[in-house]
Amino acid sequence: MEATDRKILHLLAADGRMSYTDLGKATGLSTSAVHQRVKRLEQRGLIQGYGAALNHAELGLPLTAFVAIRPMDPSQPDDCPERVSGFTEIESCWSVAGDDSYILKVRTATPAALEELLAQIRSAANVSTRTTIALSTYYENRPVTEG
């Protein structure tokens, strides 16, 4: 990938609402050239979408936790992501190497709500869980750096 495309990706990662005109000024390209490049980056799958950064505490979900899950019976089909996909409190699900099979990032309103969610996850997916509660978030979803 060439440097101009990397610069466009970096700029959009920092501000997904940046206009084609501003992208053009930052990269030295015309607005139409930037528009074409962005469309090409989207088509190639390098840009997968645009989103808003939310204030979860203000939305009533101040508690963030990371839940490691491990199947109770490893001989059963590995369908844990599908089994827990309906829980709206689960923000992310990563397959991981190590003792655990998946790490879930969850957001809840209270410790009691987290406790209930954990019980529901264990029941729905037939897994054991190990939970870490985040006390503070210093940065999250940082954009990739140029280079």
Side-chain angles (χ1 to χ4, degrees):
M1 175 184 334
E2 65 178 84
T4 303
D5 286 345
R6 283 190 190 281
K7 176 118 181 144
I8 290 170
L9 290 173
H10 173 73
L11 291 166
L12 287 174
D15 179 4
R17 296 182 62 175
M18 187 175 240
S19 71
Y20 293 130
T21 301
D22 290 339
L23 285 169
K25 288 176 185 173
T27 59
L29 297 173
S30 69
T31 301
S32 62
V34 167
H35 180 74
Q36 289 174 349
R37 282 181 182 255
V38 169
K39 289 297 174 201
R40 211 172 19 224
L41 291 167
E42 290 170 345
Q43 290 168 347
R44 290 176 51 200
L46 292 165
I47 297 173
Q48 296 182 330
Y50 302 88
L54 305 178
N55 182 332
H56 292 93
E58 290 296 321
L59 291 170
L61 299 170
L63 195 149
T64 302
F66 299 92
V67 181
I69 62 175
R70 182 184 315 171
M72 296 294 272
D73 183 357
S75 68
Q76 293 299 311
D78 185 6
D79 59 354
C80 289
E82 293 82 14
R83 288 180 179 229
V84 300
S85 66
F87 295 106
T88 58
E89 300 91 344
I90 299 174
E91 184 176 298
S92 304
C93 174
W94 298 283
S95 175
V96 296
D99 292 336
D100 301 307
S101 297
Y102 299 94
I103 302 283
L104 309 175
K105 179 180 178 183
V106 304
R107 296 189 189 267
T108 63
T110 64
L114 175 60
E115 186 175 25
E116 175 63 25
L117 175 63
L118 293 172
Q120 292 172 350
I121 289 170
R122 287 185 202 113
S123 175
N126 193 31
V127 295
S128 64
T129 62
R130 186 173 42 86
T131 304
T132 301
I133 294 175
L135 299 176
S136 298
T137 302
Y138 296 102
Y139 45 84
E140 183 175 32
N141 300 322
R142 296 183 341 172
V144 296
T145 57
E146 290 184 75

